[in-house]
Amino acid sequence: GLRELAPLTCAHLHLPSRHHIDKPVRCREILSAMRLRVCLLALLILYSLVVATGKCGSPLSPLAQGDKMGGGCDFQGSMGSVYEIMYNRSGIDVVLVSMLAHLEPVSQMMGGITSINSIPTSNSTSHDLPAELELGLTILRISEINSKSQTYKMHYILRWMWRDCRLLMNCDKLRVSDTNAEFNSFWRPQVRIAEREDDIEAMKVERHLLLGHGWDVYTEEHVSYFRCPWDFQDMPFDFQACTLTFLVPDEPDTTIKLLWGGLEGNELTNAEWSITQPEEWTKSYTSEMFKYGADFAYSSELVAEFHLKREPSYLMHTFVIPSLMFYLMSWVGLWIDVAAVPARAAVGVIPVLVTSNKMSALSASIPPISYPTRLSNFMMMTLMIIVVHLFEYGLIHYAARRSKALGKMMERWEQVLQDNSSTEKSKEPSWLLKIEFRIVTCIDLYVEVATRFLSPLIYAILAAVYLQA
């Protein structure tokens, strides 16, 4: 187009008569505009060609990776001619994705197979060895840690990588997202995470990154809920060990072998819990026996373990400090006059009721368990001592009244002895009344005083035992 415009001059343009006066200026403007439009059109066509062909270029050698992840693709073996044809596949992204998904142009040579949604093919599988899948785990966020349901929410990315010689092509990389019509034609592992309770489907994102030498890097991003078996025995200083177990169900380790890759992530923070950072998570391998047809087989499993350590300040402020305040309220009541019945009854009953409600709130925040926790033991101990204060007041109140009544009786008897009245001597108090008088007098004089000093001492010792970090 530029070559055709180049020889044009103002003499070739026939302008209307209204442009007669400024014809030279108008002529140059029109020629410049025409050339600019042609240049823009040429650039647009060139850009479209670059985008359409993706990043196809010289791929890595299909033998470059050696024996890693199933080894290379054997161009010298029985499948060498087929691999050679597949290795020469190229084209724009849309066409190339379709060719890979339907094994074109070697579908007939592969026995009429028109998809690659079966277990990957590599040197390993051709020698009856398992297909090797490497897992890279990225932890983005952990939130909604729930003690009652023993669950937590996690945003994470799984990055699987394996060798599949059916993906050979003359292109260094090719991306296939989950919105592509051919996405389900490509094989991907149906992974189960044993601890996963629920998965938020709306947040799920999947994609394949296909490399020319036969690698498939499959990435799936999830937001899921997981369960973790809590041990509340040391609450509020409890330390929870949580695991993530990855496996491909119903596939023995002779078919698929899982390998650990990298484990990384963002900094994990939570207001109530201290979470092990992803770089410090422990990785391990394990296997589990399962029923496989008429026989038994072992599955290949990957395990990641991390820890949750509770920051006790929340529970201390919510349960421990209020319990301590109500104990002090009950203890102060020991210094109120026994005769002030309404006041003593109030400072005795109110702490019992409130502490009972606090214990109910604590029980509601955790699941039903058959063993006590350090926090529940502390609150039960607080409740028991407060109840002892209330019981002690009832005992002191009774002893004071009874001591007063028996004291008057004893005074009358002493008066009789002084008057030497033989008639009244026959009404001498029994020995049981005398013993009762001594007991209630002792209670009235000493129990309240002893309780005032022994109660805080015992409470401090038991609290230190239960709440020692």
Side-chain angles (χ1 to χ4, degrees):
L2 289 174
R3 285 196 299 268
E4 293 177 356
L5 286 176
L8 289 179
T9 62
C10 293
H12 296 89
L13 298 178
H14 302 284
L15 298 177
S17 58
R18 63 178 179 272
H19 297 295
H20 177 71
I21 298 175
D22 57 345
K23 182 176 180 179
V25 177
R26 185 62 178 171
C27 172
R28 288 192 296 271
E29 291 177 353
I30 293 176
L31 288 176
S32 299
M34 294 175 66
R35 291 190 178 97
L36 179 60
R37 291 177 183 176
V38 172
C39 289
L40 292 176
L41 181 59
L43 290 175
L44 180 60
I45 294 173
L46 180 61
Y47 175 77
S48 300
L49 290 174
V50 172
V51 172
T53 55
K55 294 184 178 180
C56 286
S58 299
L60 296 174
S61 168
L63 300 175
Q65 297 299 315
D67 294 330
K68 183 181 178 183
M69 300 292 295
C73 301
D74 188 5
F75 280 68
Q76 306 301 321
S78 58
M79 295 291 293
S81 59
V82 177
Y83 289 162
E84 192 69 39
I85 295 173
M86 290 192 292
Y87 186 58
N88 290 321
R89 291 180 293 188
S90 63
I92 63 174
D93 288 1
V94 176
V95 175
L96 190 53
V97 168
S98 179
M99 292 175 65
L100 295 175
H102 300 288
L103 270 180
E104 297 174 359
V106 295
S107 175
Q108 297 303 319
M109 300 174 65
M110 299 285 288
I113 300 175
T114 58
S115 68
I116 57 171
N117 55 7
S118 57
I119 292 179
T121 300
S122 66
N123 279 351
S124 294
T125 57
S126 63
H127 291 84
D128 295 327
L129 296 175
E132 296 180 342
L133 276 65
E134 184 180 274
L135 170 62
L137 176 61
T138 301
I139 308 300
L140 301 179
R141 183 171 60 256
I142 292 181
S143 60
E144 298 185 24
I145 301 175
N146 191 320
S147 297
K148 185 174 181 61
S149 62
Q150 302 181 69
T151 59
Y152 59 92
K153 182 181 178 182
M154 185 168 72
H155 186 188
Y156 59 102
I157 297 174
L158 303 178
R159 187 172 290 103
W160 297 93
M161 186 165 60
W162 62 87
R163 171 89 70 177
D164 192 347
C165 293
R166 299 171 298 183
L167 299 175
L168 290 171
M169 57 180 168
N170 191 25
C171 180
D172 61 350
K173 62 175 67 71
L174 184 65
R175 291 179 174 84
V176 183
S177 67
D178 54 4
T179 59
N180 193 301
E182 300 289 356
F183 181 79
N184 291 325
S185 299
F186 293 88
W187 182 83
R188 61 186 185 275
Q190 302 301 314
V191 178
R192 175 192 298 166
I193 306 178
E195 295 78 11
R196 184 161 56 189
E197 292 283 303
D198 192 17
D199 196 47
I200 302 177
E201 194 65 27
M203 299 295 292
K204 185 177 180 180
V205 180
E206 301 173 276
R207 54 191 174 274
H208 287 277
L209 175 61
L210 309 178
L211 306 180
H213 50 63
W215 286 82
D216 190 341
V217 181
Y218 168 64
T219 303
E220 46 183 332
E221 184 173 347
H222 296 266
V223 176
S224 308
Y225 288 91
F226 295 89
R227 71 174 184 274
C228 178
W230 254 248
D231 182 5
F232 296 95
Q233 189 169 353
D234 290 328
M235 185 178 180
F237 307 104
D238 46 330
F239 182 83
Q240 311 299 340
C242 300
T243 58
L244 298 174
T245 306
F246 301 88
L247 69 152
V248 181
D250 302 325
E251 291 291 351
D253 55 5
T254 56
T255 303
I256 292 181
K257 181 180 180 180
L258 303 182
L259 304 173
W260 267 117
L263 205 165
E264 57 186 10
N266 299 334
E267 182 181 1
L268 304 178
T269 59
N270 186 270
E272 187 181 1
W273 296 88
S274 175
I275 309 173
T276 306
Q277 297 306 310
E279 295 78 10
E280 301 173 358
W281 290 23
T282 57
K283 302 181 293 184
S284 60
Y285 303 87
T286 185
S287 60
E288 189 76 22
M289 179 181 289
F290 68 97
K291 185 72 173 177
Y292 187 62
D295 205 350
F296 290 91
Y298 288 91
S299 62
S300 177
E301 300 180 3
L302 303 177
V303 179
E305 181 176 343
F306 67 99
H307 300 106
L308 301 173
K309 183 179 180 181
R310 191 191 300 271
E311 298 293 341
S313 57
Y314 171 74
L315 293 180
M316 296 290 283
H317 286 87
T318 305
F319 296 103
V320 175
I321 294 179
S323 298
L324 177 60
M325 294 297 103
F326 287 113
Y327 164 78
L328 292 176
M329 177 181 176
S330 177
W331 178 75
V332 168
L334 299 176
W335 299 83
I336 299 177
D337 189 358
V338 177
V341 176
R344 289 294 296 264
V347 297
V349 173
I350 292 176
V352 171
L353 297 178
V354 178
T355 304
S356 299
N357 288 336
K358 279 291 183 181
M359 293 183 65
S360 299
L362 175 62
S363 299
S365 66
I366 60 177
I369 55 177
S370 59
Y371 56 88
T373 67
R374 293 171 66 174
L375 182 56
S376 64
N377 283 337
F378 167 77
M379 297 190 69
M380 179 60 72
M381 179 267 296
T382 302
L383 179 63
M384 291 176 63
I385 293 182
I386 290 174
V387 170
V388 168
H389 290 175
L390 183 59
F391 175 79
E392 183 266 350
Y393 171 66
L395 180 63
I396 292 296
H397 187 263
Y398 169 80
R401 294 179 59 189
R402 188 62 176 163
S403 176
K404 185 177 181 180
L406 293 177
K408 291 181 179 179
M409 184 183 296
M410 295 301 175
E411 288 177 1
R412 286 198 302 269
W413 168 246
E414 291 177 359
Q415 187 66 36
V416 168
L417 292 178
Q418 292 177 3
D419 295 342
N420 199 16
S421 173
S422 58
T423 305
E424 297 294 333
K425 285 183 180 181
S426 61
K427 298 181 180 180
E428 178 182 359
S430 66
W431 61 274
L432 289 176
L433 288 178
K434 293 179 180 178
I435 293 176
E436 180 185 3
F437 176 69
R438 291 189 181 96
I439 293 175
V440 296
T441 302
C442 181
I443 292 174
D444 183 33
L445 293 177
Y446 301 111
V447 171
E448 179 96 310
V449 176
T451 304
R452 291 171 182 171
F453 296 97
L454 290 177
S455 174
L457 178 62
I458 295 173
Y459 185 80
I461 294 173
L462 294 178
V465 171
Y466 288 128
L467 297 180
Q468 183 179 7

